[in-house]
Amino acid sequence: MKKITFALVLGLCAGSASVFAQATKPKAATPAPETAPAPAAAAPQHQAGGVNKAIPVAEYYEGGQEAMYAFIEKEKKYPILAKRNRIQGTCVVSFTLTTNGTLENVKLVTKNIGGGLGEEALRVVRLLQFKKPDYAVLTSLPIVFKLTAPGQAAATE
């Protein structure tokens, strides 16, 4: 019985060895700097609010995504507790834009990063006014909270 059990365990270990083996990929040769192709003209890497992705619901905001994030930046107030404790981060707020242009089911998707930032993100998103879409749109919107040094404006690239 011991021999059979040992043979079974040995067989399982041998059979699963390939599962635990690390695969190595051959390194691709990198071209010399002078032969590297020039990068194509790309969209700006940083948009208003520090967000790199297009937000689908922004097409229903008057002025588009840049205007929406400009409004958010103007309206958001950094909570004193978060500022005092130097809390920074991104709060992702989820909501449904209904066919009559109102917001429903506004909730914080990410873990609340503390200091009142989650509540402030919810407050600012509830202030947004959208045009009426043809169908209900479920979306999420990242709100970035970043502290700046005293006397220094927020960096927008």
Side-chain angles (χ1 to χ4, degrees), residues 10 14 31 37 40-41 48 63 107 117-118 136 150:
L10 187 60
K107 60 185 174 187
L117 294 178

Side-chain angles (χ1 to χ4, degrees), residues 94-150:
S94 171
F95 59 90
T96 303
L97 177 59
T98 63
T99 54
N100 61 2
T102 60
L103 303 181
E104 288 183 353
N105 303 325
V106 181
K107 60 185 174 187
L108 197 60
V109 175
T110 57
K111 180 182 169 189
N112 193 349
I113 56 178
L117 294 178
E119 292 81 7
E120 179 63 13
L122 289 171
R123 183 190 73 80
V124 171
V125 167
R126 286 187 181 112
L127 293 175
L128 294 172
Q129 299 292 317
F130 291 95
K131 296 183 239 175
K132 297 177 182 179
D134 296 334
Y135 51 89
V137 180
L138 173 64
T139 189
S140 57
L141 185 66
I143 309 294
V144 178
F145 290 93
K146 183 165 175 61
L147 290 170
T148 57

Side-chain angles (χ1 to χ4, degrees), residues 52-114:
N52 299 13
K53 296 181 181 179
I55 308 296
V57 78
E59 68 182 82
Y60 300 109
Y61 190 82
E62 188 70 38
Q65 184 165 328
E66 289 185 17
M68 182 176 67
Y69 272 108
F71 175 80
I72 289 171
E73 288 298 317
K74 184 182 86 168
E75 290 296 321
K76 77 179 176 185
K77 298 177 180 99
Y78 219 98
I80 295 171
L81 183 61
K83 193 180 285 189
R84 184 179 304 142
N85 292 314
R86 296 181 181 181
I87 300 172
Q88 302 184 89
T90 302
C91 295
V92 180
V93 179
S94 171
F95 59 90
T96 303
L97 177 59
T98 63
T99 54
N100 61 2
T102 60
L103 303 181
E104 288 183 353
N105 303 325
V106 181
K107 60 185 174 187
L108 197 60
V109 175
T110 57
K111 180 182 169 189
N112 193 349
I113 56 178

